[in-house]
Amino acid sequence: MNAETETDRDARKPPAGVAVVVIGYDDAAHVTDAVRSALAQGPAVREVVAVDDCSTDGSAGLLDRLAASEPRLRVIRRRANSGGCGTPRNTGLDAVTSPYVMFLDSDDVLPPGAVDALLEAAEGAHAEVAGGLCVRRELPSGREVPWEPRLYALHAVVPRPARRPRLVHDTLCVNKLYRTGFLRAHGIRFPEGRFPYEDVVFTARVLAAAPRIALVPDRVYVWHVRRSAGRLSISLDRSGVENWRARTEACRQAYEVLLGAGQKELARAVRAKFLDHDLRMYVRELGLRDAAYRRAWWELTRAHLAEYDADDWARNPAAPGRLVGRVVLASPEPCDLPRLRELAARPARLCPPYARAADGTPVWSDALPVSLEPLRARPVRALPLAVDAELRPCARGTRLRLRLRLRLRLRLHELYGRVAQAGPESVEAEWLHRDDGGVVVRDTAVPLAPCPSGSEPASTAGSEAVALAQGPEPAGRAGSRAVALARGAEPAGAVALGPCARGAEPAGTAGSVRGGAWSAEVAVDLAALSALGAGTWDLRLRIRFRDGVSRDVSAHALRGAGLLRRSAVPSVRHGVVLVQPYATHSGALALRVAPGVRGVLSVARARLRRLLH
């Protein structure tokens, strides 16, 4: 009698089934696309439970008609709108009969193969939870940004969440597969009613139960971000201070859930994530709000941060989010918002002035002496370096051959002696296409020249005391995915700036830099940017130091006469190129380029839409 092998038994087992819970409210335009993306996953999806949260736009009728021809689809109509996402998800969770469950919002989709990838990972690792990569797709541009890509770079199995504290950063519930019995055994549910950021608390409850987790690098969820929609999603609508109140409450509950389960390290990680992600994101937007919002936001934030203990502040004390939090906590009223916005940027920029206490300790400002001493021990590759930038378009050449140029002036500030200690040598500028980060226009590295002592103070923004050493400029060539500004017969495409004060010693003079700044000028070929059509470009800089270490930074956009103004630059190829330098919400320099008649018309249409709305 032959013994039955494990392979034989597995071959006769029915395939594990997955239920996909789709929730929606008044989203007739998208809900059927979401449901079809779940059904299209194939036989691994045993059932799709669509929960309509008392829609009034005909969504339920569309789902009923789809269910008439699809036996795997079941439609549940709620009699009253819950006001949030948690209650309909709980309704769907109660109804599923499959061993595994996933969640899908009505305005998003599952990409092909998502369920198979997660199910295979969960089954293979005997995991209660499997997670994969979510991408945020900005519409209508189609630009995709991965969510927490570091977590999902490789296949991995995490025996206990405490071994991977970074898991608390991925608060989404929709890019994961859960064993249904695990959720029910531990009573894990979503907060009921109108509770924005319900998935933050749900994720904390999952992690508190210490599941075995499988991670895959596959794309398993497409999160559609429709900022121009008539009704923004709950998480995107941050215009009112109640949104911030809800976020702080969700983070507070997540901390308490994990601490109550004995997961102290994960609870600490939740607070660290709040400082590094949530706080920095909202600080970058404070300048867009009115005074009443800012005062209410400041009060709520200080109350939340007052709950933190010394251990929370002592961990990575020079991290930008912690510095921002300590400044907010130290001031009873909103203060220094432009400078806080720059520090909250990614990468962070600590802009001048750089104050010191009477004993020489670095502090935030004379009026608010929050210690910045931890910056002295932070590696230069992680320092919040500040680089000022001004961009002026110009055209060169003969009437028969005009060359389109952008002249980029850069000024790197000292930071309590750390920059001089590291010895900055060169800077490389690159422009990243806003809608497609894979398209890059870059220039070669340019020497950084020290500004001698006695030049204008480091805090002087937009000063015209910078003496420019003009040199030859490059010939540009556009490529497909990565565009390098190719060098022609001319020997160099960018030159170092001269001293920051006219009449001082030459820019190449060696020695200490007591003046506190270094400068450079980069000649960017506008033809390489305009060859790719109308688009927005973000500036990124890579500063290289004496020992080979480099630091990637963004640049602070200087304001002043002649700066950040739209220009029409003549072009042989396009006729005209509209160039608009501007400061982003975080104060970084970016550039809009619109070549030719079509580009001009697109700018005019966009401006007209803004005027009409």
Side-chain angles (χ1 to χ4, degrees):
M1 179 174 170
N2 295 329
E4 184 180 41
T5 66
E6 185 175 345
T7 302
D8 293 334
R9 290 194 300 271
D10 288 345
R12 291 205 304 270
K13 280 196 311 183
V18 175
V20 180
V21 174
V22 184
I23 63 167
Y25 168 67
D26 279 359
D27 197 15
H30 308 114
V31 66
T32 54
D33 290 336
V35 170
R36 287 192 176 98
S37 77
L39 293 169
Q41 297 294 310
V45 173
R46 181 186 296 178
E47 58 183 332
V48 175
V49 179
V51 182
D52 181 76
D53 201 11
C54 197
S55 294
T56 60
D57 68 343
S59 295
L62 291 174
L63 292 171
D64 285 338
R65 287 193 288 274
L66 186 57
S69 60
E70 178 48 72
R72 291 180 295 165
L73 174 59
R74 183 163 28 136
V75 180
I76 300 176
R77 299 191 190 184
R78 289 186 49 78
R79 295 183 178 180
N81 180 256
S82 68
C85 298
T87 298
R89 285 196 185 126
N90 289 336
T91 300
L93 181 58
D94 291 338
V96 303
T97 60
S98 302
Y100 294 93
V101 62
M102 291 183 66
F103 300 99
L104 172 61
D105 290 346
S106 63
D107 53 349
D108 301 329
V109 294
L110 298 179
V115 171
D116 284 340
L118 292 173
L119 182 58
E120 181 180 353
E123 295 263 281
H126 303 288
E128 287 82 20
V129 180
L133 184 66
C134 168
V135 293
R136 289 167 52 105
R137 180 181 292 165
E138 299 273 353
L139 296 176
S141 71
R143 176 195 182 203
E144 292 189 350
V145 180
W147 175 265
E148 288 299 318
R150 288 169 51 189
L151 269 178
Y152 302 105
L154 300 168
H155 288 274
V157 177
V158 184
R160 293 187 302 277
R163 292 191 178 183
R164 191 73 66 89
R166 185 76 190 181
L167 286 166
V168 304
H169 283 250
D170 184 11
T171 55
L172 301 180
C173 69
V174 290
N175 61 330
K176 300 176 183 70
L177 176 83
Y178 304 92
R179 195 182 293 274
T180 309
F182 163 76
L183 296 180
R184 289 173 176 167
H186 292 276
I188 298 172
R189 298 173 67 78
F190 293 89
E192 293 278 348
R194 182 166 180 79
F195 190 102
Y197 306 107
E198 75 293 330
D199 45 359
V200 173
V201 178
F202 177 83
T203 298
R205 291 170 177 171
V206 169
L207 297 178
R212 185 176 176 86
I213 302 176
L215 306 176
V216 300
D218 306 66
R219 286 163 44 115
V220 301
Y221 197 86
V222 178
W223 174 3
H224 286 146
V225 180
R226 297 178 172 89
R227 299 188 190 277
S228 60
R231 187 190 72 207
L232 290 173
S233 67
I234 293 174
S235 60
L236 287 179
D237 188 3
R238 299 196 291 267
S239 59
V241 77
E242 288 305 312
N243 175 275
W244 180 240
R245 187 190 307 275
R247 188 180 283 260
T248 56
E249 178 57 29
C251 292
R252 180 182 293 110
Q253 289 195 28
Y255 172 82
E256 292 171 350
V257 165
L258 289 164
L259 194 65
Q263 301 280 3
K264 188 173 182 179
E265 286 303 308
L266 290 178
R268 295 278 188 205
V270 165
R271 284 185 167 176
K273 176 257 179 186
F274 176 84
L275 293 172
D276 183 62
H277 175 70
D278 305 77
L279 182 63
R280 291 174 72 177
M281 176 169 58
Y282 280 72
V283 164
R284 291 195 296 269
E285 299 175 352
L286 271 183
L288 306 175
R289 313 303 183 198
D290 60 27
Y293 176 100
R294 292 196 292 267
R295 284 193 298 270
W297 183 95
W298 201 269
E299 182 180 349
L300 283 169
T301 306
R302 295 184 77 235
H304 183 71
L305 295 180
E307 300 172 6
Y308 284 34
D309 58 31
D311 237 11
D312 294 317
W313 297 110
R315 299 187 176 203
N316 197 7
R322 280 173 176 76
L323 296 180
V324 170
R326 289 172 57 212
V327 170
V328 172
L329 194 57
S331 175
E333 297 290 337
C335 70
D336 295 341
L337 298 186
R339 197 164 176 234
L340 285 172
R341 177 192 66 178
E342 302 275 346
L343 185 56
R346 294 188 185 277
R349 301 182 297 272
L350 180 58
C351 292
Y354 303 118
R356 293 181 183 268
D359 62 359
T361 300
V363 293
W364 176 255
S365 68
D366 293 334
L368 201 65
V370 174
S371 175
L372 302 181
E373 182 66 24
L375 289 175
R376 287 180 166 177
R378 194 166 177 84
V380 69
R381 65 178 179 274
L383 283 174
L385 301 180
V387 178
D388 291 337
E390 56 179 284
L391 191 64
R392 296 179 183 272
C394 60
R396 290 199 163 211
T398 66
R399 291 184 179 180
L400 297 178
R401 188 178 178 182
L402 279 175
R403 292 179 179 176
L404 308 182
R405 302 291 183 224
L406 294 175
R407 189 170 59 190
L408 179 64
R409 302 173 179 178
L410 304 172
R411 177 182 172 90
L412 168 66
H413 292 284
E414 178 58 276
L415 189 61
Y416 298 112
R418 295 300 315 287
V419 179
Q421 183 183 24
E425 292 188 335
S426 65
V427 60
E428 179 183 356
E430 65 179 22
W431 297 90
L432 283 70
H433 198 278
R434 175 72 58 80
D435 293 332
D436 189 345
V439 178
V440 180
V441 173
R442 59 170 57 90
D443 201 355
T444 55
V446 180
L448 279 161
C451 301
S453 58
S455 62
E456 76 275 10
S459 59
T460 302
S463 171
E464 290 299 322
V466 179
L468 301 178
Q470 181 62 51
E473 302 179 8
R477 183 181 302 146
S480 56
R481 301 298 297 174
V483 184
L485 297 188
R487 300 298 164 205
E490 297 166 291
V495 294
L497 285 180
C500 289
R502 287 187 170 89
E505 66 268 23
T509 302
S512 63
V513 186
R514 291 181 298 167
W518 294 257
S519 55
E521 180 177 277
V522 179
V524 181
D525 194 339
L526 181 55
L529 302 179
S530 58
L532 297 172
T536 300
W537 301 83
D538 292 305
L539 175 64
R540 292 291 184 271
L541 305 172
R542 176 165 296 166
I543 300 171
R544 299 189 186 277
F545 296 88
R546 188 167 41 233
D547 60 359
V549 172
S550 64
R551 170 64 165 142
D552 291 343
V553 300
S554 55
H556 165 71
L558 288 180
R559 302 172 185 272
L563 299 175
L564 304 185
R565 294 176 59 184
R566 182 183 296 122
S567 301
V569 182
S571 165
V572 171
R573 178 177 178 182
H574 302 288
V576 67
V577 177
L578 289 186
V579 180
Q580 174 69 73
Y582 74 99
T584 67
H585 288 167
S586 66
L589 181 65
L591 180 68
R592 295 189 185 98
V593 175
V597 175
R598 289 185 179 180
V600 173
L601 291 176
S602 68
V603 171
R605 284 194 296 267
R607 189 167 187 178
L608 181 61
R609 283 196 298 269
R610 287 195 297 270
L611 291 174
L612 293 176
H613 292 84

